């Protein structure tokens, strides 16, 4: 039997995958994407003699949610390895929503993920990735360009380690203080890979959950994930940790909200290792009416200089992404 | 086919039901207890013509965790209706842990729960409970005494509505500030009864989860639930709410910790209904070494008058429960 | 994008899918098989104008578990429509376990399922199935033969409606009474299809769970599912029901145990509909030592005539299946 470098994974969406209006959570989709990517990279990195290994998620490129997905639809997740460096694997994942009653299909996501293989014998050792064969020299060079670009971006990312979300006493409506939220989650065995570290997809699902609550608290309507900025996974989270996921609104445009999300891990048992920041990311949400049409978003009320600074940074990310989308459309 | 007033429900304990050492979470057991109680009361209240109904949890009496339960053991949950008033049902639930490999069995819990049946046609209407037959006049009178006692206690309970857990900047080890924790949970369809309200057992599981994190943060060891005080469910929590569950340590004895837990519900969609306190309770935890023997608990460092007041109240609850246990032992 | 008449569905096995020794539960595999079959049949039956529909499981042919599957392995479930009658669809499902660390693959199951499409507009109406194209006339005739054979068998199956498992006071080791078990499960929204009926796969998973408890109680060792007899789904189970799943041992050979499993549904809310028998089946289990080698099974101690009768019937099923397996081997 031949196991290909591609994988295809259909799954029916259940009530528990969605909000009360029936929209599948962005976090559920991110988790499926990461699962498919994890399977294909782990399989590829074990096609050689030597140490057995598990591929751990290192980075997800910016991902747009092009269409909503609903309960009862079948999500088709296809993954393909598109580039390999000495120590990392690039995976392209496409998600298609199929309404098996009407036969209608629509592409909901296209994502690019980077994985790094860690040895099962020594969980701190990164093993070498077997090279893939490229269809053309062009394809290989294109892949190399992506690789160098993400490497640079990874180095630039700061973990914002010192920053914590501080509560605000009696906050007013539409301020940062009134919608900021955090949850704690005790890491269980089902959350972890064979290495005993939390699946990247589990972390992203928690992040989307918090971002969704922040967005709903701000505009009190049905909200859905519109996009996620590139996410770098700087540090692994171990089984038995308590994870604190916090979110706060940074920016609002006419029809969208940007929410910054922090993930902090706290090893209760090996207390000397202390609490550390594991991941940060920006989620963009939109607000929908009963027919699924976008609604205007109430503007964020800024209360101090720091919030103003974060708002400006959010605005510049928003304008950059808008410009990028326009440029892509023109190219097509 | 005859439907008895008793029910018996075995379930195998899985890795996700337990902590990393293998001890089944107290919250998992509370959830199973409530499920069995809910089934038997709903069944009983539908054995008459008229409105169809679902029994909602109104109160759980103080419950001790007599023995730990482990992954792989079968939990046997038996429930029996022991008293009915015009609008409520008393259910006794016993939990037995069976090691199916050695055949060893031990009683882990005995709990008493009160349910109130709400109409499916009109979720605000409480329907009348069909009376049960008692084995003896004595049994009926005993039941009535319990009923009156819990009714009185229910009325006395205050919801502590104003109180919120305030964060502490740079807290010191073993203070109240360093271990206090809260989580948010978006209520999904699987959390709810046919009426669209959260199962009492789901709420208790979240409460135990937060209490466990507070206890682990305080003493950094393997901790297990030892008992839960009587819990009154004052207000129902609806599908689509965000639930905030917060816990803080109130008291420590040599070998136990008391944690106060608040449950606040926040209806994002019907925002005018506002946030309200749904449940409060006290959980007692103990700390165990690798062999499962109780460890001394580091004393709680008190930092202000309010904490001192709560500590004294916790101490008096602790002494009362100790006296009650001793009295029961002597009676046997 | 082209969605084929075949589907392929990989999934990583997690700790909760397996027992404490790491063997994936037969019930988990049956649930994945049914999920794949349900997707492909529902899709096929909606490829025509008219009522939208959901395919409900009507029957599973006898299924062998050829190899154990372990935590961390990837289960590949492929499904293909192989025959259609006017009102039913035959689906062949293959399951392959892939160890992505070593690259080893083994076929674990080959199953045949029958689905019947019910209208979403009127849940009691069965709609017509669009015909498939056969590769050859031979293939079509082969399919028709299967179809007629299963139709006959379906009619013959008796539901054994009156029979209940009665508890035995102080049962002795290795008797039927000591290992018989039952569990109850409250049907939630995630257990159900769009029609509001329980997925066939969810029911089979519960059946396997009870059969596994019976087998473990009998021989106190690591036990795994070896095969399941043909299962007919006579009556649908609705959301809000309580399901009681009961199992008792009927027969033991040197190296295997046969367990009969009953599924009774109880509509708590529409109590007048009464309790009814929804499904019955026979599961065969084997006992394994620490290296995964089969162990001898302690002989079942028969205590009365009825048990003797069931034992003889089990023996004849056992001998028939053995003869069938031998005949198949010779043919190859």
């Amino acid at each position: 039997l031949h196991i290909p470098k591609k994988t295809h994974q259909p799954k029916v969406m259940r009530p528990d995958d969605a909000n009360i209006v029936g929209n599948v959570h962005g976090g559920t989709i991110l988790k499926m994407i990461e699962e498919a990517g994890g399977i294909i990279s782990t399989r590829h990195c074990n096609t050689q003699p030597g140490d057995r290994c598990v591929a751990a998620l290192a980075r997800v490129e910016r991902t747009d949610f092009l269409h909503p997905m609903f309960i009862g639809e079948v999500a088709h997740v296809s993954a393909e390895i598109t580039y390999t460096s000495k120590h990392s694997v690039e995976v392209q994942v496409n998600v298609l929503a199929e309404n098996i009653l009407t036969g209608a299909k629509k592409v909901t996501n296209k994502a690019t993920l980077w994985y790094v293989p860690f040895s099962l014998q020594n969980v701190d050792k990164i093993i070498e990735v077997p090279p893939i064969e490229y269809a053309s020299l062009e394809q290989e060079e294109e892949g190399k360009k992506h690789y160098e670009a993400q490497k640079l971006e990874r180095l630039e990312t700061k973990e914002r380690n010192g920053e914590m979300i501080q509560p605000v006493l009696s906050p007013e409506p539409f301020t940062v203080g009134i919608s900021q939220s955090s949850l704690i989650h005790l890491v269980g065995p089902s959350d972890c890979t064979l290495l005993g570290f939390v699946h990247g997809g589990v972390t992203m699902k928690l992040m989307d959950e918090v971002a969704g609550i922040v967005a709903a608290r701000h505009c009190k309507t049905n909200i859905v994930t519109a996009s996620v900025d590139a996410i770098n996974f700087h540090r692994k989270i171990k089984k038995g940790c308590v994870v604190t996921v916090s979110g706060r609104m940074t920016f609002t445009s006419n029809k969208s909200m940007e929410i910054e999300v922090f993930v902090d891990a706290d090893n209760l048992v090996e207390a000397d290792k202390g609490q550390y920041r594991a991941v940060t990311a920006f989620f963009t949400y939109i607000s929908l009416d009963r027919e699924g049409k976008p609604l205007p978003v109430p503007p964020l009320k800024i209360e101090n200089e720091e919030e103003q600074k974060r708002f400006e940074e959010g605005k510049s990310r928003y304008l950059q992404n808008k410009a990028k989308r326009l440029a892509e459309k023109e190219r097509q």
Side-chain angles (χ1 to χ4, degrees), chain A:
Chain A
L1 275 151
H2 171 71
I3 301 288
K5 293 270 173 293
K6 290 188 186 187
T7 175
H8 171 227
Q9 180 159 358
K11 201 184 159 203
V12 185
M13 294 295 99
R14 302 270 168 91
D16 272 12
D17 298 321
N19 64 19
I20 25 171
V21 190
N23 288 116
V24 171
H25 295 295
T28 302
I29 298 173
L30 289 170
K31 192 163 173 263
M32 289 190 298
I33 288 173
E34 200 275 319
E35 243 171 60
I39 289 178
I40 202 171
S41 327
T42 301
R43 179 191 292 147
H44 176 72
C45 297
N46 281 292
T47 53
Q48 59 188 352
D51 274 16
R52 299 300 88 198
C53 66
V54 173
L57 181 66
R59 177 179 162 91
V60 182
E61 302 295 341
R62 181 184 162 80
T63 307
D64 288 316
F65 291 76
L66 308 169
H67 284 285
M69 197 183 284
F70 297 94
I71 295 173
E73 292 191 336
V74 177
H76 295 270
V77 184
S78 339
E80 186 177 0
I81 295 182
T82 42
Y83 185 77
T84 52
S85 77
K86 193 176 172 190
H87 287 129
S88 69
V89 178
E90 187 199 52
V91 182
Q92 300 276 3
V93 183
N94 290 322
V95 184
L96 185 85
E98 178 201 8
N99 183 326
I100 48 176
L101 305 183
T102 66
K105 289 149 217 150
K106 53 197 187 216
V107 173
T108 62
N109 300 76
K110 293 180 179 215
T112 306
L113 298 90
W114 293 90
Y115 287 86
V116 173
F118 287 88
S119 161
L120 264 179
Q121 280 70 48
N122 170 1
V123 293
D124 294 322
K125 183 182 157 197
I126 296 175
I127 70 154
E128 282 193 27
V129 173
I132 60 164
E133 272 175 47
Y134 298 94
S136 66
L137 200 69
E138 237 175 16
Q139 199 202 338
E140 182 170 2
E141 271 168 15
E142 187 67 22
K144 194 165 188 178
K145 240 197 295 183
H146 288 174
Y147 170 72
E148 298 295 348
Q150 64 86 25
K151 205 171 152 187
L152 204 67
E153 255 193 70
R154 254 179 89 69
L155 284 174
E156 276 171 2
T157 321
K158 276 159 205 113
E159 289 188 40
R160 310 190 184 215
N161 235 314
E163 252 189 285
M164 296 295 282
I165 289 183
Q166 297 301 339
V168 180
L169 294 175
S170 48
E172 274 179 61
F174 309 121
T175 57
V176 175
I178 204 158
S179 61
Q180 65 184 23
S181 305
S182 63
L183 67 77
I184 49 178
H185 173 77
L186 185 59
V187 173
S190 286
D191 302 327
C192 293
T193 66
L194 284 178
L195 291 172
F197 295 110
V198 175
H199 281 287
V202 170
T203 307
M204 290 194 287
K205 192 162 183 274
L206 289 170
M207 294 170 87
D208 178 70
E209 205 174 312
V210 164
I213 289 170
V214 173
R217 280 190 168 148
H218 182 77
C219 58
K220 316 276 186 195
T221 54
N222 179 31
I223 47 84
V224 297
T225 317
S227 69
V228 189
D229 249 42
I231 311 180
N232 293 309
F233 290 80
H234 294 287
R235 296 186 57 181
K236 286 177 284 186
I237 303 169
K238 219 174 158 177
K239 193 157 75 182
C241 274
V242 170
V243 163
T244 305
V245 187
S246 317
R248 69 174 163 211
M249 196 158 290
T250 45
F251 167 74
T252 51
S253 72
N254 279 347
K255 300 228 163 137
S256 73
M257 304 158 261
E258 188 197 60
I259 297 116
E260 181 173 21
V261 182
F262 302 95
V263 180
D264 294 302
D266 189 359
N267 193 322
L268 293 183
V269 181
E270 301 165 71
D272 52 311
K273 300 212 171 158
Q275 189 171 335
Y276 58 91
R277 174 106 346 138
V279 196
T280 59
F282 293 98
F283 282 72
T284 300
Y285 267 75
I286 53 173
S287 163
L288 299 180
D289 68 10
R290 274 149 201 269
E291 277 76 46
K293 299 260 164 62
L295 281 173
V297 166
L300 188 63
K301 219 177 258 172
I302 296 297
E303 295 191 308
N304 59 46
E305 269 180 47
E306 266 190 57
E307 287 178 11
Q308 185 62 44
K309 188 167 158 274
R310 288 198 299 263
F311 190 92
E312 298 300 337
E313 291 168 0
K315 192 174 184 175
S316 102
R317 275 185 298 269
Y318 168 76
L319 294 172
Q320 266 180 39
N321 286 324
K322 208 173 165 179
K324 236 186 247 173
R325 271 202 308 275
L326 281 174
E328 268 169 34
K329 263 195 189 160
E330 273 170 30
R331 225 181 300 153
Q332 285 168 356

